[in-house]
Amino acid sequence: MVLLKRLPPKGKNMLVIGTTSEVDFLESLGICSAFAVTYHVPILRNEDAKKVLEQLKVFAEDDIEAAAEALNNDMPIKKLYMLIEMAVQGPHGGSAEAIYSGKEKIDITHFLECLNDIVRPY
């Protein structure tokens, strides 16, 4: 908290970006008042998630719809990027470079397994 309120050295600028899903907790600690702007990012709906997945170009065209539908209309963008990062590693690791270069695509079965790992059962 002290570091958030400290001014940067003269002639220097500072940009601090904080993300949370627990705004009430940060407000109770008095941290929110240290930020000049608060911006709410809505949870992604299937159509939005599909657009993100299309832009990333990490899925086969046939798998994009299934991947978006599996998210059940309630995936925050930060969690979606974490899920994608988990999935590009592949089931045995080391696939990320091939996927990001476009030589390979994320296996939909592995993506669904990663999704199952991060979704809390209710």
Side-chain angles (χ1 to χ4, degrees):
M1 181 70 161
V2 172
L3 294 176
L4 285 177
K5 291 186 175 184
R6 183 185 300 169
L7 293 174
K10 190 172 183 168
K12 302 289 182 179
N13 293 320
M14 178 174 55
L15 172 67
V16 177
I17 298 174
T19 63
T20 186
S21 59
E22 301 292 334
V23 175
D24 294 335
F25 176 70
L26 293 183
E27 285 176 348
S28 71
L29 294 175
I31 292 177
C32 288
S33 62
F35 290 90
V37 176
T38 301
Y39 183 76
H40 174 73
V41 178
I43 290 178
L44 295 175
R45 300 287 169 227
N46 285 1
E47 309 86 51
D48 304 318
K50 184 178 176 185
K51 289 176 186 175
V52 170
L53 297 176
E54 288 170 344
Q55 291 297 312
L56 291 174
K57 297 178 174 41
V58 294
F59 282 97
E61 288 291 321
D62 298 343
D63 292 338
I64 291 174
E65 186 73 36
E69 287 295 322
L71 302 176
N72 293 323
N73 275 325
D74 65 350
M75 180 68 63
I77 187 74
K78 183 177 174 182
K79 190 178 273 189
L80 177 59
Y81 276 117
M82 180 183 70
L83 173 61
I84 295 295
E85 190 58 37
M86 289 170 62
V88 297
Q89 299 304 316
H92 307 293
S95 301
E97 187 175 322
I99 289 173
Y100 286 133
S101 69
K103 294 177 184 171
E104 295 180 18
K105 300 294 181 186
I106 293 175
D107 177 64
I108 190 67
T109 304
H110 180 62
F111 174 79
L112 297 173
E113 289 169 356
C114 292
L115 177 60
N116 191 47
D117 288 343
I118 67 166
V119 174
R120 294 183 207 167
Y122 293 100

